[in-house]
């Protein structure tokens, strides 16, 4: 694995107000991902795609160093085999995998997640599974929740409440598209569960066959700041609805991978 390049020092003050604060005990969710100019996060379903420049890759690990946990869906694990650790400042971050049908158990022993755990460079994952997928003797730490019987989806509020009960106070969500798009939707109360949004945009097009990030409804981003690197740009902001124009979606705030 290639070493990280030095972090551009002007990224530290730029990111500061979009990251969880140590003096605040409130639960904090950061949604962050890298995309192309045409809003794609990969060339196609199941295709591992490098988008970020090395300096924004380092930025990702810097952001990880400010969170207790990093969350992705099982499809991202199956496609990319990510390590989901932090290589900035030797910070321990807990991988959280949204995996209702518990597919991870079939590939965990040959995954980078397992390799990092064995080598002491990453924490063991916590896998969010449906109660009906519980299997004894799997050797993987699980968080068992109920899915909505009508939709087959977990509630984000249920997930984050359960994580908080386990002592986790901040979560960095990285993907994939199903997870990201579900968090770009408001819950039944019309509110978002995401506290901050950090998006890296690379000057590339991945094409119409790529996996797209695009919310089902329009939404606005406020409190916006931009950073320009050697190649990529980074947009930070907070999600807000356009007052009086967007109605709350009854199915918002749920995720199924």
């Amino acid at each position: 694995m290639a070493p990280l390049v030095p972090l551009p020092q002007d990224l530290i003050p730029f990111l500061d107000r979009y990251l969880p604060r140590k003096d605040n005990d409130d639960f904090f969710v950061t949604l962050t991902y890298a995309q192309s100019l045409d809003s794609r996060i990969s060339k196609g379903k199941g295709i591992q795609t490098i988008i970020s420049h090395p300096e924004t890759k380092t930025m990702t690990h810097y952001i990880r160093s400010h969170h207790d946990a990093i969350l992705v869906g099982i499809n991202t694990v199956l496609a990319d085999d990510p390590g989901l650790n932090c290589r900035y400042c030797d910070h321990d971050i807990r991988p959280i995998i949204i995996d209702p049908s518990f597919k991870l158990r079939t590939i965990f022993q040959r995954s980078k997640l397992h390799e990092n755990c064995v080598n002491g460079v990453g924490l063991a994952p916590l896998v969010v599974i449906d109660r009906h997928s519980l299997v004894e003797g799997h050797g993987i730490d699980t968080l068992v929740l109920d899915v909505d019987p009508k939709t087959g989806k977990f509630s984000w509020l249920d997930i984050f409440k359960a994580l908080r009960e386990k002592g986790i106070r901040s979560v960095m969500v990285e993907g994939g598209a199903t997870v990201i798009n579900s968090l770009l939707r408001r819950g039944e109360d019309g509110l978002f569960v995401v506290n901050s949004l950090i998006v890296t945009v690379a000057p590339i097009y991945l094409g119409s066959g790529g996996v797209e990030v695009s919310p089902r409804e329009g939404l606005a981003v406020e409190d916006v700041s931009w950073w320009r690197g050697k190649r990529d740009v980074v947009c930070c902001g907070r999600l807000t609805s356009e007052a009086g124009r967007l109605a709350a979606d009854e199915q918002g705030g749920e995720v199924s991978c």
Side-chain angles (χ1 to χ4, degrees):
M1 185 177 294
L4 297 176
V5 303
L7 180 75
Q9 289 303 293
D10 58 338
L11 269 172
I12 295 176
F14 168 77
L15 292 168
D16 182 65
R17 63 195 180 97
Y18 300 101
L19 298 176
R21 303 188 65 86
K22 294 181 179 180
D23 58 357
N24 191 333
D25 194 45
D26 293 340
F27 195 84
F28 196 98
V29 179
T30 302
L31 177 60
T32 180
Y33 57 94
Q35 68 167 50
S36 62
L37 290 173
D38 50 349
S39 196
R40 266 65 177 180
I41 62 172
S42 77
K43 293 179 179 178
K45 186 176 181 181
I47 300 176
Q48 187 175 24
T49 307
I50 297 175
I51 296 177
S52 297
H53 184 274
E55 65 181 3
T56 48
K57 181 68 173 179
T58 299
M59 179 195 75
T60 295
H61 284 267
Y62 173 78
I63 297 171
R64 290 180 184 181
S65 73
H66 286 74
H67 291 80
D68 296 331
I70 178 172
L71 184 149
V72 298
I74 183 59
N75 291 334
T76 294
V77 175
L78 296 176
D80 296 344
D81 190 23
L84 299 181
N85 60 353
C86 178
R87 292 191 283 137
Y88 191 94
C89 295
D90 297 321
H91 173 73
D92 286 330
I93 189 168
R94 186 78 184 272
I96 310 294
I97 315 297
I98 306 299
D99 185 10
S101 56
F102 205 5
K103 298 176 183 177
L104 183 67
R105 72 177 186 271
T106 64
I107 57 96
F108 179 62
Q109 295 297 323
R110 59 182 185 273
S111 69
K112 287 182 183 176
L113 284 169
H114 181 261
E115 180 182 340
N116 285 346
C117 187
V118 169
N119 293 333
V121 294
L123 299 181
L126 175 64
V127 187
V128 183
I129 67 172
D130 174 39
R131 192 172 305 280
H132 296 96
S133 299
L134 184 61
V135 177
E136 297 297 333
H138 47 72
I140 304 173
D141 194 7
T142 57
L143 178 59
V144 182
L145 297 177
D146 291 313
V147 299
D148 186 308
K150 294 182 180 179
T151 65
K153 299 177 181 179
F154 292 124
S155 160
W156 280 117
L157 292 179
D158 288 347
I159 292 172
F160 292 145
K161 179 181 177 181
L163 292 179
R164 178 167 187 134
E165 289 173 352
K166 285 185 168 291
I168 293 171
R169 293 293 182 266
S170 57
V171 177
M172 176 180 176
V173 182
E174 289 196 8
T178 299
V179 169
I180 296 169
N181 285 323
S182 69
L183 284 170
L184 291 175
R185 296 165 58 185
R186 289 162 293 120
E188 294 181 3
D189 56 3
L191 302 177
F192 294 100
V193 295
V194 172
N195 296 95
S196 69
L197 179 69
I198 303 175
V199 181
T200 297
V201 183
I204 58 175
Y205 290 97
L206 293 179
S208 60
V211 177
E212 182 180 35
V213 166
S214 182
R216 198 167 64 186
E217 296 180 327
L219 58 90
V221 180
E222 63 181 11
D223 190 21
V224 174
S225 297
W226 291 87
W227 177 86
R228 180 178 177 180
K230 292 179 179 179
R231 192 201 67 168
D232 300 343
V233 295
V234 178
C235 176
C236 293
R238 307 184 198 283
L239 300 176
T240 180
S241 61
E242 297 177 51
R245 295 179 60 189
L246 301 176
D249 179 357
E250 288 187 353
Q251 299 304 319
E254 296 178 321
V255 61
S256 176
C257 295

